[in-house]
Every structure is written in C-alpha cells, then in structure tokens.
Amino acid sequence: MQLYGSDTSPYVRRLRIWCAQHTLDVPYQHIDIFSPAGRKLLLQHTPVAKIPVLVDGQQSIYDSTVIFEYLSQAHQLKPLHWDERNQLTTINAANDSGVELLLCQRSGFDTTQDTLFFNLQHQRISQCLGMLEELLSSGKIKHAYVLTSLFCLLDWLAFRQLTDFSVYSQLHAFWQQYSREQLAQQTDPRKAE
C-alpha cells in the first residue's frame, strides 16, 4: 500500500495525520505533481490527475474522502454518519474553492476582481466557514477525521493567505490549539516550501 501526494496538500495532510493517529501503516511518498516525473507517476495511478491517490496492489483510490472510507473499512474503523459526511462536504467545498483561487493566482489572475467566478469562490468559502463556526461552537464536529480535515483546511487557508478567518472566533481558537499538536507540526506545509 502506498499513499502518493504533496507535502503542501491539505487533502494529503489530513490522511497522513489521521493514519498516524490510528497507527495505520500507510507509507507516504511526496511527489511534485508539476514536474514531468511526478506528473507521469500521478497519471499512472489516476485519470483525474489529482492528489492524493492510494495504491493498494492493483487497486487505486483517487480521492481523500474515498481513501478515508477505504482505509476505515479495511481496518474496521468507525465510518462517518450522514451529518459528519455533510460536515466533511462543507470542508471540502471551502477547500476546493481555495484551490481554484490559488491556481488562478498562480496563473496570473487577480482573484480580488469583481467577477462571477472569483465572487462565487469567495462566497462559498465564507458560507462554509460560517457554517463550520456554528457546528464547532455547538460541539457537533466530533469525528477525528472531520476535525483533522477542518484543521488542515484552516491551516492551508492561512498558509496560502487566501482568507482571514480570525473573525470566526471558534475556528480561529481551534486552529491555534490544533497547531500545537505534534502531528500538526510534523506535517506543517511551511516546512515543505
């Protein structure tokens, strides 16, 4: 079994932390997905050309949520219930919009322009963070994978300077507290760049 990804990806990081928390022996290999060799390796295992990808023998699993489900089933760990799946979907939506904005910035676009696409991404991030603030404040986010995914989202948004979430007091406090944990520090994307 082999997990491929990038040290700066929040989707990869959440799996690395969660696997370590559950002492799952899932070897991880960083690949530069923008280099010719890294791109070639990635495309050997996934047609969607995104990370992470888990290779288990002849089986490739292409998405962080599906990888989580695959590993949970293989190790008989607690699956997500429907509310937790919605929480994870909210985290993923904010993260996906952040990735879109980052890729646009790296392509030379001014993502602060008043355009439909950029406005929708910023709005989605804001809406999702507002909902996650409410869920965290009410104690409804409890599953370890969802909490880890939330931290990885927040830390990545801070790392990439995509949004200021300090206005969400519960999220900001959670991010600060989780940042002090050993696994968070070991997988800090700032060390990779």
Side-chain angles (χ1 to χ4, degrees):
M1 189 176 295
Q2 181 75 55
L3 178 67
Y4 295 100
S6 166
D7 293 348
T8 57
S9 166
Y11 298 101
V12 175
R13 187 182 188 194
R14 65 171 70 165
L15 287 166
R16 292 173 63 204
I17 291 173
W18 180 79
C19 284
Q21 288 170 336
H22 290 81
T23 59
L24 303 183
D25 184 22
V26 180
Y28 165 68
Q29 181 180 334
H30 167 80
I31 57 174
D32 178 356
I33 62 170
F34 298 112
S35 74
R39 201 83 184 149
K40 182 179 179 183
L41 177 63
L42 181 65
L43 292 173
Q44 286 175 347
H45 297 293
T46 173
V48 299
K50 292 170 67 175
I51 51 173
V53 61
L54 179 75
V55 177
D56 187 10
Q58 298 301 311
Q59 179 70 59
S60 292
I61 310 294
Y62 317 142
D63 178 83
S64 61
T65 301
V66 181
I67 293 169
F68 161 77
E69 291 171 351
Y70 182 84
L71 292 172
S72 292
Q73 184 176 359
H75 295 278
Q76 300 177 343
L77 298 173
K78 180 183 171 189
L80 298 177
H81 60 65
W82 291 113
D83 287 339
E84 291 166 338
R85 284 175 175 248
N86 280 336
Q87 294 165 5
L88 188 58
T89 297
T90 304
I91 293 165
N92 290 346
N95 225 143
D96 290 346
S97 286
V99 168
E100 296 290 342
L101 290 172
L102 180 65
L103 290 173
C104 287
Q105 288 174 0
R106 289 184 170 180
S107 298
F109 294 100
D110 177 2
T111 59
T112 62
Q113 287 182 326
D114 185 13
T115 62
L116 178 63
F117 181 77
F118 300 145
N119 290 344
L120 289 175
Q121 304 318 306
H122 290 293
Q123 180 186 45
R124 181 176 293 125
I125 291 170
S126 178
Q127 288 289 117
C128 290
L129 291 179
M131 173 61 77
L132 292 165
E133 172 83 355
E134 289 177 27
L135 291 168
L136 195 62
S137 297
S138 62
K140 292 182 179 174
I141 303 178
K142 297 177 183 177
H143 196 285
Y145 185 70
V146 178
L147 288 166
T148 298
S149 299
L150 177 58
F151 166 73
C152 291
L153 163 67
L154 296 173
D155 197 51
W156 185 81
L157 290 172
F159 168 55
R160 295 301 187 193
Q161 300 175 350
L162 288 168
T163 192
D164 177 12
F165 59 85
S166 63
V167 296
Y168 304 99
S169 61
Q170 295 295 315
L171 291 177
H172 196 261
F174 167 76
W175 169 68
Q176 289 181 315
Q177 179 182 356
Y178 204 118
S179 294
R180 293 190 286 270
E181 293 193 16
Q182 183 179 6
L183 289 171
Q185 292 178 8
Q186 288 173 349
T187 59
D188 189 336
R190 294 157 191 85
K191 295 177 182 177
E193 289 201 336

